[in-house]
Amino acid sequence: MVVVRILDQVVGHRVAIEKLLRTVEQERLPPSWLFVGPQKQGKKLVALGVAQAFLCERSRAACGNCPSCQRVARRQSEGLILLEPQGPTIKIESARQIVNDLSLTALGRGRVVLIDDAEKLTAQAANALLKSVEEPPPRTHFIFIAPSRDSVLGTLRSRSQIVRFGSLTREERSAIGGEDVDVEIRTRAVQVLVEMLGSGRVDAVAQLREQAGDRETALLYIKLWLEFIRDSWVLKSAAGVTKAPAATQNESLNSDLLEQLQVLSAYPFEKLGLASRAILQAERDLQSNCDVNLTLENLVYQNAGS
Ligand SMILES: [Zn+2]
C-alpha cells in the first residue's frame, strides 16, 4: 500500500504545521479553527493533513499508512466532511446537510468538518452552522478556510481559533509548480504602485482604470502590491543593518524588480504601513463586491494623501 501522508506534500508553512500538530498530539483541538491567508498557498492541504493526523489510527502525526489515513488521502473518509462552494456562494441547504450529517453517530476516531472558501457562506448558512460550532458533537472539529479574518461572518470568527498563513516564497511556489505571475504584469503593477505612492494621482487612477478595471485583475494587483511592500520593507530593514546585498536580494520575493523596489523602500516605514493598510481595505472592499473603479480611486487618493 502506498504511504500518503498529506502533510509531507505541503510546501512551506512549517511553523503553522508544527503548532497544529502539537495541538493534535496533546488532544487540545479547538471546536473550530479559522485558517486565514492568501489564496492558493496550501491552506486546504494543511487542513486535510491535520484531519488525517487527527483521524489516524496509529499516530497523532498521521502515519499515512493506516486505513483511515488512506481514506483521508482519497478524500473518502467518513470522518472527513468536506464542503466547497459549487457556485458563487455556499447556501443554507449545504450547511443543513452538514448539521444533519453531524447528528449521525460518528464512526472511527472522530470527525473533521472542512469548509473551504468560508467567505462564501451566506449569512443564513453560517448561522445554520453556529450551534454545531458552539456545541459540536464529541470529537468533532471544524476548520474554516478563508482569505482573511474579516471576510468571515463575525459570529463564526469569534467562535474560531485563528491560524494565519503567509505567502509562500518564490522558491516554494516554484517547488509546487505554481505558476508565477507574468513578469510583464508584475512590472506594470509595481510601476502603478510607485506612481500611486508618489504624487501622480491622476496618472495612477488613469493607469489603474485601464489596467485593472476588472475585479480579478484588481485583486491580482493587490496581491502583488502587498508583496512589493513586503519586499521594500525587507530592503529597508536590511539597509539599516550590516548584511551582504546578495542575501538581501534572495530574501526579496521579486528581486528582478529591484530598481522599483528600491524606490519604494525609500519611503518611511509609516507611509508603507499606511499604504498596506489601505491596500488591504481595498481588498476587503473588492471581496465584498464594492465597485472596482471606486475602490481603486479611493485607494489612490488615500495613498497620495498619506
Ligand atoms: Zn494513519
Side-chain angles (χ1 to χ4, degrees):
M1 207 181 262
V2 200
V3 177
V4 190
R5 188 172 175 271
I6 296 171
L7 287 175
D8 291 340
Q9 301 170 343
V10 177
V11 173
H13 307 307
R14 288 298 130 194
V15 178
I17 290 173
E18 235 172 76
K19 236 168 133 181
L20 290 164
L21 276 184
R22 220 174 305 136
T23 317
V24 175
E25 199 183 353
Q26 298 168 349
E27 308 233 326
R28 289 172 57 191
L29 283 79
S32 171
W33 264 313
L34 171 57
F35 287 10
V36 298
Q39 276 160 328
K40 298 207 181 356
Q41 309 286 314
K43 294 192 293 297
K44 186 172 161 196
L45 204 56
V46 173
L48 287 166
V50 170
Q52 194 181 41
F54 174 67
L55 299 170
C56 175
E57 294 162 14
R58 295 187 193 146
S59 145
R60 294 281 63 80
C63 70
N65 203 15
C66 71
S68 170
C69 281
Q70 296 279 335
R71 284 194 298 270
V72 174
R74 291 196 304 269
R75 321 283 190 262
Q76 286 171 350
S77 167
E78 67 288 346
L80 176 69
I81 302 176
L82 195 59
L83 177 59
E84 292 163 311
Q86 301 299 326
T89 57
I90 302 178
K91 298 203 172 71
I92 188 165
E93 292 77 21
S94 313
R96 284 198 183 126
Q97 182 64 49
I98 286 184
V99 174
N100 188 49
D101 288 350
L102 290 180
S103 70
L104 308 171
T105 314
L107 304 164
R109 292 190 39 84
R111 276 178 303 210
V112 175
V113 183
L114 203 168
I115 301 180
D116 196 14
D117 294 329
E119 76 280 7
K120 294 186 177 159
L121 284 164
T122 62
Q124 293 93 321
N127 285 324
L129 291 173
L130 266 191
K131 200 172 171 301
S132 307
V133 172
E134 261 179 346
E135 292 166 36
R139 296 194 61 79
T140 299
H141 302 275
F142 283 80
I143 304 180
F144 294 91
I145 301 178
S148 69
R149 279 179 86 244
D150 297 337
S151 58
V152 178
L153 206 71
T155 41
L156 270 185
R157 187 169 68 224
S158 63
R159 286 163 179 79
S160 303
Q161 199 178 94
I162 309 237
V163 182
R164 280 171 216 284
F165 288 77
S167 296
L168 297 177
T169 63
R170 171 147 299 195
E171 289 72 25
E172 287 169 341
R173 257 181 289 160
S174 62
I176 53 172
E179 80 254 57
D180 266 336
V181 180
D182 189 57
V183 65
E184 208 178 300
I185 296 177
R186 287 169 44 248
T187 310
R188 267 186 277 153
V190 78
Q191 278 161 354
V192 180
L193 182 62
V194 168
E195 189 94 34
M196 192 156 68
L197 293 187
S199 53
R201 35 184 110 172
V202 179
D203 283 354
V205 171
Q207 278 185 32
L208 267 178
R209 281 221 171 119
E210 199 187 299
Q211 292 175 26
D214 64 288
R215 197 170 303 272
E216 203 180 319
T217 316
L219 283 167
L220 174 64
Y221 268 49
I222 281 176
K223 183 181 145 271
L224 291 169
W225 288 337
L226 292 170
E227 271 183 23
F228 299 149
I229 290 185
R230 174 199 165 275
D231 289 357
S232 51
W233 203 282
V234 171
L235 284 174
K236 211 170 160 52
S237 313
V241 295
T242 44
K243 203 182 239 181
T248 308
Q249 287 180 29
N250 278 341
E251 270 178 49
S252 173
L253 282 174
N254 297 279
S255 42
D256 55 330
L257 301 174
L258 202 59
E259 206 176 306
Q260 288 97 330
L261 293 176
Q262 263 156 355
V263 175
L264 294 175
S265 71
Y267 286 114
F269 280 117
E270 200 194 352
K271 179 157 178 124
L272 295 175
L274 284 172
S276 48
R277 227 172 302 156
I279 293 169
L280 283 169
Q281 179 60 48
E283 184 178 38
R284 282 195 290 274
D285 290 348
L286 288 174
Q287 277 161 352
S288 51
N289 272 334
C290 291
D291 181 77
V292 180
N293 278 327
L294 265 179
T295 306
L296 294 175
E297 208 172 298
N298 265 337
L299 176 64
V300 171
Y301 281 96
Q302 272 187 49
N303 275 310
S306 62

